[in-house]
């Protein structure tokens, strides 16, 4: 019989990539969790064969039914949805408790580094996930912890690239020349699928994903090559200055860039390719998404 995998966040980037990959494999029966079963994204998943259940991290009573009889679950929390650190931690703990009570045999949790502990300053969307990981470990959940890198798909959001007065484009990630691990979030869904397929090999392990590690200037050169005659360059802004831009979340994001610049995050291209050999480089991803990228800039 196909193994039931409950996918949280299936209408978002990470969960959506996992749901898509699992739906292409007849060994799995996909159950997606959403707060709105009637949404277009939920309906599209249902049309592809997913079971859609309505539940919320904020309502623990709904989580048990979502995990009933599930062999495994993919769990991702979203601090940015509400920007409430305590709420993000409680949401993760609630689903951990529910998975423990339901006897789920394999929990794959999307975590990140504990920045405050490592660097002495907070990055709440990282730290909240790290605390949930610690809680899952304390429960002795049968878990695999995965760390995602920068998503190439972020470039499909216009706010990541700014058009300058001279007609060229500036990439606004203040990495100050440091390299950044990256991958397509869609590709990583297939890496997660491999983890579910090989539970015994990946249980109680932590896996950091990466397809390549490039500077933002190298990103700019790649975009300039594929989207010519448009020209791209990396911002000269520092993370410290970014923190002071004043928009909601600026300090949080700036501190995140600062952490990624000064600390070597544990991401492995070798392990990522072991899980999914077809993972694309940034060069290949840009070539595959040329039209979508151009439409974003128009």
């Amino acid at each position: 019989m196909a193994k039931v995998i409950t996918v949280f966040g299936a209408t978002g980037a990470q969960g959506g990539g996992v749901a898509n990959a699992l739906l292409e494999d007849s060994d799995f029966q996909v159950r997606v969790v959403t707060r709105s079963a009637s949404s277009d994204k939920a309906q599209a998943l249902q049309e592809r064969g997913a079971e859609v259940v309505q539940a919320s991290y904020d309502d623990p009573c709904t989580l048990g039914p979502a995990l009933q009889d599930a062999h495994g679950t993919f769990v991702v929390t979203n601090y940015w949805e509400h920007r409430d650190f305590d709420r993000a931690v409680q949401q993760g703990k609630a689903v951990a408790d529910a998975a423990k009570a339901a006897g789920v045999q394999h929990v794959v949790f999307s975590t990140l580094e504990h920045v405050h502990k490592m660097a002495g300053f907070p990055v709440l969307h990282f730290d909240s996930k790290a605390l949930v990981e610690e809680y899952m470990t304390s429960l002795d959940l049968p878990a695999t912890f995965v760390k995602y890198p920068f998503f190439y798909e972020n470039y499909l959001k216009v706010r990541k690239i700014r058009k300058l007065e001279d007609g060229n484009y500036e990439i606004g990630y203040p990495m100050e020349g440091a390299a950044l691990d990256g991958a397509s979030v869609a590709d990583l869904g297939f890496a997660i699928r491999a983890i579910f397929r090989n539970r015994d090999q990946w249980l109680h392990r932590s896996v950091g994903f990466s397809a390549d590690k490039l500077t933002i200037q190298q990103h700019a050169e790649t975009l300039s090559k594929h989207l010519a005659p448009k020209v791209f360059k990396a911002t000269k802004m520092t993370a410290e200055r970014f923190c002071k831009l004043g928009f909601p979340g600026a300090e949080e994001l700036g501190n995140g860039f600062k952490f990624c610049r000064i600390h070597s995050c544990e991401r492995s291209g070798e392990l990522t390719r072991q899980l999914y050999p077809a993972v694309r480089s940034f060069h290949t991803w840009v070539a595959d998404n040329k039209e979508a990228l151009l439409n974003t800039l128009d």
Side-chain angles (χ1 to χ4, degrees):
M1 290 182 61
K3 295 176 179 177
V4 175
I5 306 293
T6 296
V7 180
F8 288 89
T11 57
Q14 293 187 38
V18 173
N20 176 68
L22 292 173
L23 282 166
E24 295 185 12
D25 191 324
S26 60
D27 286 342
F28 297 107
Q29 179 182 335
V30 181
R31 179 185 296 159
V32 300
V33 181
T34 176
R35 288 172 303 177
S36 176
S38 61
S39 71
D40 290 343
K41 288 184 177 181
Q43 289 298 304
L45 289 167
Q46 187 173 48
E47 289 172 6
R48 291 183 59 197
E51 174 191 1
V52 177
V53 299
Q54 194 158 306
S56 170
Y57 287 145
D58 292 316
D59 185 358
C61 293
T62 66
L63 299 176
L67 292 164
Q68 184 70 34
D69 300 323
H71 168 81
T73 182
F74 175 78
V75 181
V76 56
T77 55
N78 185 6
Y79 163 87
W80 291 108
E81 186 175 48
H82 43 71
R83 295 206 298 273
D84 184 327
F85 176 82
D86 291 334
R87 182 178 173 187
V89 174
Q90 287 305 121
Q91 288 177 332
K93 287 183 175 181
V95 76
D97 290 337
K100 181 75 171 181
V104 175
Q105 296 180 47
H106 195 184
V107 177
V108 178
F109 177 59
S110 177
T111 187
L112 286 168
E113 286 80 5
H114 197 316
V115 176
H116 205 173
K117 184 182 294 184
M118 294 173 63
F121 56 87
V123 177
L124 302 182
H125 67 288
F126 277 60
D127 296 344
S128 60
K129 292 177 183 289
L131 290 181
V132 173
E133 176 184 348
E134 290 177 5
Y135 183 72
M136 288 183 170
T137 301
S138 75
L139 293 181
D140 197 28
L141 281 181
T144 303
F145 298 108
V146 296
K147 295 183 176 77
Y148 278 69
F150 165 86
F151 302 161
Y152 299 155
E153 284 83 355
N154 288 347
Y155 282 121
L156 296 175
K157 300 175 182 179
V158 69
R159 68 178 181 271
K160 308 301 181 185
I161 298 176
R162 182 172 68 96
K163 191 171 186 178
L164 303 173
E165 291 183 0
D166 62 6
N168 295 327
Y169 294 87
E170 182 183 71
I171 302 173
Y173 293 101
M175 288 297 295
E176 303 174 52
L180 186 67
D181 286 291
S184 164
V185 69
D187 288 353
L188 297 181
F190 293 92
I192 297 292
R193 185 180 72 180
I195 289 173
F196 279 122
R197 288 188 64 87
N198 299 279
R199 173 184 180 273
D200 292 346
Q201 180 180 353
W202 298 99
L203 203 60
H204 303 302
R205 292 180 65 179
S206 181
V207 182
F209 293 135
S210 179
D212 51 23
K213 189 169 186 175
L214 304 170
T215 66
I216 300 303
Q217 183 58 41
Q218 288 174 307
H219 282 205
E221 292 166 359
T222 300
L223 289 166
S224 296
K225 176 181 178 180
H226 287 282
L227 306 184
K230 298 183 186 298
V231 176
F232 298 79
K233 66 180 184 178
T235 183
K236 295 181 180 179
M237 183 178 293
T238 65
E240 285 76 10
R241 184 181 165 200
F242 190 98
C243 287
K244 299 174 182 178
L245 289 179
F247 64 84
E251 184 175 7
E252 171 72 8
L253 285 169
N255 280 338
F257 291 126
K258 178 181 177 181
F259 174 75
C260 291
R261 176 174 61 83
I262 64 178
H263 283 270
S264 179
C265 297
E266 295 181 2
R267 305 290 185 272
S268 172
E270 181 180 354
L271 285 180
T272 304
R273 286 185 290 274
Q274 179 182 335
L275 286 161
Y276 184 52
V279 67
R280 289 170 290 177
S281 67
F282 185 60
H283 171 87
T284 302
W285 181 87
V286 172
D288 289 345
N289 290 274
K290 179 177 178 178
E291 292 305 316
L293 287 162
L294 287 171
N295 289 338
T296 299
L297 298 174
D298 293 338

